[in-house]
Amino acid sequence: MPRLRRRDLFALAGALTGLLATPAWSDEPPSIDNLYVDDELDQACDRAIEFLLRNQRSTGAITDRGHELALTSLAIMALAAIGTEPAEPTRRGRAMRAALDFVLRPDHQNDSGYFGAYDGSRMYGHGIVTLMLTEMLGMGATPKQNELIHERLERALRLILSSQAVRKERKLEGGWRYSPQSRDSDLSVSIWQLMALRSAKNDQMNVPAEAIDKALDYLRNSFTGRRTATGVGEGGFSYTPGQSRPSFTMTAAGLLAMQVCGQYDAPEVAAAADWLFSHRPKTNERYLFYGLYYYAQGMHQVGGKYADESGRVVSSLLLPRQRSDGSWMSPGGEERNVGLVYSTSLALLSLSVRYHYLPIYQR
């Protein structure tokens, strides 16, 4: 099925709203009760976007700390997640266009196609930037910007594929770690590369199916549930293969990654969703904002009680903690050091599930 552009989704949503609000046989205008009114979540997202825009520098970067490329790319995805496009003749559209121009500067990607060296964000940043570019492919403000997105993206994808091919211990094959030459793997870094590859494949770019299959094998090696002849036992995902205890963040990440790759009915998906349902995240979770991003998207795709529960959890954890300037500060020290743009972008991506504009998260 072809991916819908955000403006197409807006049009479709408007058409459906009109159809549902008024019966076809009615001559009456739609009731005021049927008109959409911003609620607390919408208002929180608007305040957060305004915070991000206030942190845009003259270069186009959106950041309050280091890791300019990675943080700017997260902010671009947050803008896109609420429906903003860089071609829009609005303040937000112009900000998004400038942010994209910043990321696309030629000195930000080295000769091998690597983004992670420029700002020190390593393969984490490379995966984030690459995923953002796949989501923005064809959405640039000008033909030139679209050409640059495609050119930078092709080189970034080749780097991901060559990094995956580095010889590793068998249980670590198919994954990635901190540098392109790493001979080991972890789930946290690997998730970004896998989502970038899958999104690029959705864009009809040249991504070998074998690369995604190998990454899925690595994901399965990181699953903690015991496998039996009839399926898998209760469990989640761990940071590296061989660990017996799942964590909230890695289980949420593994759940979403499996779904992004089309494994909606995989036993690991069902087990991870059950584990997350029975292990509700709390404010003292390590890497809370990072985990909520995966949790919100993954559980929403499972649907039913899982989507309902995660929607309540994410709102209850985030909405009361938004600061007066529209930002969020992570309660954990591990994430505090990354800054407010980081936590605010991830909070926005978590809350924006209801809008469902980013193609990578469309089931």
Side-chain angles (χ1 to χ4, degrees):
M1 178 178 177
R3 296 184 354 167
L4 293 173
R5 291 165 65 94
R6 273 178 285 282
R7 62 171 61 95
D8 298 326
L9 287 168
F10 276 129
L12 179 60
L16 288 174
T17 300
L19 287 172
L20 294 173
T22 307
W25 60 84
S26 174
D27 294 325
E28 295 296 320
S31 165
I32 188 69
D33 294 332
N34 289 322
L35 297 179
Y36 183 80
V37 179
D38 283 359
D39 62 11
E40 184 183 5
L41 189 150
D42 297 307
Q43 294 162 12
C45 289
D46 281 339
R47 290 193 297 271
I49 289 295
E50 290 303 309
F51 170 81
L52 292 179
L53 267 54
R54 288 195 301 273
N55 278 273
Q56 186 164 38
R57 299 178 177 178
S58 60
T59 60
I62 301 175
T63 183
D64 59 332
R65 297 285 176 92
H67 306 317
E68 291 179 311
L69 289 182
L71 291 181
T72 299
S73 295
L74 280 178
I76 289 171
M77 286 199 291
L79 280 160
I82 63 160
T84 304
E85 295 186 28
E88 292 176 7
T90 63
R91 176 169 168 259
R92 292 182 180 185
R94 290 189 294 271
M96 195 177 191
R97 176 177 178 172
L100 263 174
D101 282 339
F102 171 77
V103 173
L104 295 169
R105 277 173 41 180
D107 59 321
H108 289 168
Q109 189 179 32
N110 69 18
D111 292 341
S112 65
Y114 188 36
F115 283 112
Y118 174 81
D119 64 351
S121 58
R122 303 182 289 181
M123 285 298 287
Y124 270 116
H126 183 82
I128 291 168
V129 174
T130 307
L131 175 60
M132 181 276 291
L133 292 177
T134 65
E135 295 298 285
M136 290 294 103
L137 188 62
M139 303 293 289
T142 64
K144 178 62 175 177
Q145 196 173 63
N146 279 325
E147 288 174 14
L148 288 173
I149 291 172
H150 190 273
E151 177 190 321
R152 303 286 189 267
L153 187 51
E154 282 190 320
R155 296 170 60 204
L157 291 169
R158 286 198 296 268
L159 184 282
I160 291 175
L161 293 172
S162 65
S163 179
Q164 186 189 39
V166 171
R167 182 173 295 181
K168 301 178 182 182
E169 185 181 348
R170 185 172 181 80
K171 68 179 182 180
L172 302 175
E173 289 178 352
W176 294 262
R177 209 165 194 193
Y178 298 133
S179 78
Q181 299 79 31
S182 291
R183 298 179 66 86
D184 57 355
S185 304
D186 74 59
L187 189 60
S188 186
V189 174
S190 296
I191 293 295
W192 291 105
Q193 321 309 317
L194 175 54
M195 290 199 297
L197 289 179
R198 182 62 195 192
S199 181
K201 193 168 183 66
N202 290 344
D203 285 328
Q204 309 301 315
M205 297 199 72
N206 185 22
V207 175
E210 180 185 11
I212 292 175
D213 290 342
K214 286 181 177 178
L216 276 170
D217 286 341
Y218 176 74
L219 268 177
R220 295 186 183 102
N221 285 338
S222 303
F223 181 71
T224 65
R226 191 168 67 87
R227 300 182 186 278
T228 67
T230 58
V232 301
E234 179 181 319
F237 290 87
S238 61
Y239 182 63
T240 56
Q243 295 179 339
S244 60
R245 297 183 62 183
S247 69
F248 163 67
T249 300
M250 290 299 95
T251 299
L255 170 66
L256 180 60
M258 294 285 289
Q259 293 168 321
V260 163
C261 292
Q263 304 297 303
Y264 301 106
D265 299 321
E268 295 89 351
V269 167
D274 285 339
W275 189 92
L276 289 167
F277 192 83
S278 61
H279 294 78
R280 181 173 178 166
K282 301 178 177 61
T283 54
N284 63 351
E285 295 285 350
R286 295 193 68 201
Y287 302 103
L288 175 67
F289 280 70
Y290 190 51
L292 286 178
Y293 159 66
Y294 295 122
Y295 172 77
Q297 301 288 349
M299 295 289 268
H300 182 80
Q301 291 203 32
V302 176
K305 68 177 185 179
Y306 303 94
D308 293 340
E309 169 74 357
S310 64
R312 287 190 294 268
V313 168
V314 170
S315 293
S316 67
L317 286 174
L318 292 179
L319 293 181
R321 292 173 174 81
Q322 188 177 30
R323 293 153 52 112
S324 59
D325 63 357
S327 69
W328 278 272
M329 170 63 81
S330 173
E334 310 96 342
E335 293 183 300
R336 278 178 177 264
N337 294 332
V338 192
L340 297 174
V341 167
Y342 159 85
S343 50
T344 302
S345 296
L346 289 177
L348 262 170
L349 287 164
S350 302
L351 291 169
S352 63
V353 166
R354 70 192 292 176
Y355 308 129
H356 219 49
Y357 291 134
L358 282 174
I360 186 65
Y361 307 125
Q362 293 173 20
R363 180 164 179 167

